[in-house]
């Protein structure tokens, strides 16, 4: 996990997260259809959908249960 923001689902929270991710050089975002993403991510850097998230979610689940 590179960064996280614990907050309600608002534009401000996403902008905080985006700022935390900036040093990592993230070039593309894969998200759900939350309109905040459309407002703050350029269309060519944004993919909406679950196609690429299954492996990421599986990895997070495995790491959260590894003690």
């Amino acid at each position: 996990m590179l960064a996280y923001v614990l907050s309600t689902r608002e534009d401000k929270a996403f902008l905080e997260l985006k700022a935390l991710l900036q040093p990592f050089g993230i070039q593309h975002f894969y998200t759900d259809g939350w309109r905040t993403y459309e407002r703050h991510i350029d269309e060519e850097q944004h993919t909406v959908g679950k196609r690429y998230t299954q492996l990421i979610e599986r990895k997070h689940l495995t790491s959260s249960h590894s003690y």
Side-chain angles (χ1 to χ4, degrees):
M1 183 178 312
L2 299 175
Y4 69 93
V5 172
L6 184 60
S7 182
T8 57
R9 204 162 183 193
E10 300 174 6
D11 285 27
K12 179 183 171 197
F14 174 67
L15 292 174
E16 288 178 31
L17 179 60
K18 191 175 178 187
L20 290 171
L21 292 172
Q22 187 176 13
F24 296 100
I26 306 291
Q27 297 294 314
H28 202 91
F29 292 84
Y30 298 88
T31 71
D32 61 17
W34 186 32
R35 291 186 187 236
T36 291
Y37 300 133
E38 293 174 6
R39 289 191 289 270
H40 298 290
I41 303 172
D42 293 334
E43 188 176 330
E44 62 275 356
Q45 294 180 298
H46 187 212
T47 299
V48 176
K50 288 279 194 177
R51 182 175 181 193
Y52 300 101
T53 60
Q54 181 183 8
L55 292 174
I56 294 167
E57 290 174 355
R58 177 72 237 162
K59 188 174 185 177
H60 289 174
L61 182 62
T62 300
S63 65
S64 70
H65 287 84
S66 299
Y67 297 43

